[in-house]
Every structure is written in structure tokens, then in C-alpha cells.
Amino acid sequence: FSICNLPPEYRYHTSNLLLTSISPGPKEQNPGQIQWFLRPIVSDLLCLWRNGIKVPTESCPEGHLVWVTLVAVVCDKPAAHKIRGFGSHSDTYLCMCCWIMQADKDKAVAFAKMICTNAEHRQLGEEYRKPANTTACKNFVKEHATWFTQLSRLPYFDLISQIVVDPMHNLFLGMSVPF
């Protein structure tokens, strides 16, 4: 985490970055494991947003009350899918931000599809939680390419616009061609 209200020249100094956790290896986590991993972080963020925390400073040694919000999650595309609660690139829907289907990706009609909204994604995530068995959940993900994400517990967080795919990561991995 970086402290966004610091001046830009200090924001990303290592002394001003906050490490909340490191996901265990040696293999990449599946979406369910990512959500279990996010659960305590989101719980802490909810507390910090609702109640704030007193932070002592030189000018206010008894503590200045500050509130904390998650401004953005920046990651590569596979991580964005897992964190947002969106199916993988091989699921029914191709894009995390709109309703382009795999079958339509080479057709002009695909680009007339509506943009996925935060409210739609949250509602689908809640519907994912309703089925009683794992088969029904798997079928739901196959049909809607969506599952519940812990980030939806943050009422201020927009699941569509505040999860950003880091373009530099993709360039370094050779996943996209630079212009």
C-alpha cells in the first residue's frame, strides 16, 4: 500500500510503502485461495474506513484521527481476474469490464456489448454465494464468469474501475507488444 495523500515525490519511497502480506507459494493461488487471503485484509480496511485510527505525529503527539480507504489495486491481468471475482480469460466472457463473449470476440457485434457496471458485478457476486453446492457454483461461474470477491465488502470500492491492470508488467513479460 502507498499513502496517497503524501506528496508524489515521497509517496513511493520504500519507507512510505506498507506491506500488508505476502501470498504463500510455491504455486499460484486459485481464486478461492485469493479470496481467503483477502478476507482479513478487507476486514482491517473496513475497520480503518469506519472507525479510523489515531496516528501520533510530531505536531499532534496524542494522535491525529485518520481514516483509510483502498484507492486502487494494481496487478497483472490474471491476478485482476482473481481479485475482482471475474472468471479466467478462457471462461464465457472475455473481458473484465464488459460483456464480450468468447464466441463473439471476432465479430463486430462484440463491441456493441454493454459495459459491466460495479452494481452488476456486485449483484452477480452475491448471487454466486446463494447456490448450496460446488457444482451449482461452478455452473454459475461458467455461465456468468463471476464469483464473490471480498473486495465487494468495501462499500466505497468500485470493482470495475479501481482494479487496474498494470501495463508495464505485461510489457516486461512480453504479453503485449509495445508500440
Side-chain angles (χ1 to χ4, degrees):
F1 289 100
S2 66
I3 303 168
C4 292
N5 61 342
L6 286 175
E9 61 271 17
Y10 299 115
R11 195 172 295 163
Y12 299 107
H13 286 203
T14 54
S15 61
N16 295 327
L17 294 176
L18 309 170
L19 177 64
T20 59
S21 54
I22 298 174
S23 62
K27 295 181 180 179
E28 188 174 317
Q29 285 73 41
N30 67 40
Q33 291 169 324
I34 294 284
Q35 295 308 315
W36 276 105
F37 187 75
L38 285 174
R39 187 180 173 138
I41 296 169
V42 170
S43 293
D44 288 347
L45 285 169
L46 274 170
C47 250
L48 292 167
W49 176 68
R50 288 183 180 136
N51 308 324
I53 186 170
K54 282 201 170 208
V55 178
T57 63
E58 193 173 300
S59 63
C60 188
E62 67 278 356
H64 182 74
L65 186 61
V66 296
W67 291 268
V68 177
T69 61
L70 181 62
V71 175
V73 174
V74 181
C75 52
D76 63 5
K77 188 165 173 58
H81 277 256
K82 292 176 184 180
I83 290 170
R84 183 181 280 158
F86 196 83
S88 76
H89 64 279
S90 61
D91 281 333
T92 307
Y93 294 98
L94 183 65
C95 179
M96 299 182 302
C97 300
C98 62
W99 297 112
I100 295 176
M101 297 181 79
Q102 281 283 3
D104 295 337
K105 68 182 177 187
D106 59 344
K107 300 174 186 135
V109 70
F111 299 98
K113 302 281 184 179
M114 292 180 50
I115 301 292
C116 177
T117 66
N118 182 49
E120 287 175 313
H121 195 69
R122 284 175 181 273
Q123 182 174 347
L124 285 171
E126 288 301 321
E127 287 177 28
Y128 169 82
R129 297 173 77 178
K130 292 177 185 174
N133 60 54
T134 55
T135 303
C137 287
K138 285 181 182 179
N139 289 337
F140 185 89
V141 172
K142 188 172 178 102
E143 182 179 347
H144 300 285
T146 304
W147 58 80
F148 176 77
T149 175
Q150 291 292 325
L151 292 177
S152 67
R153 293 173 45 214
L154 300 171
Y156 60 84
F157 193 80
D158 187 317
L159 298 169
I160 304 302
S161 64
Q162 288 181 268
I163 298 178
V164 182
V165 175
D166 172 24
M168 287 309 295
H169 189 89
N170 290 331
L171 289 174
F172 286 136
L173 289 176
M175 295 172 71
S176 59
V177 180
F179 295 98

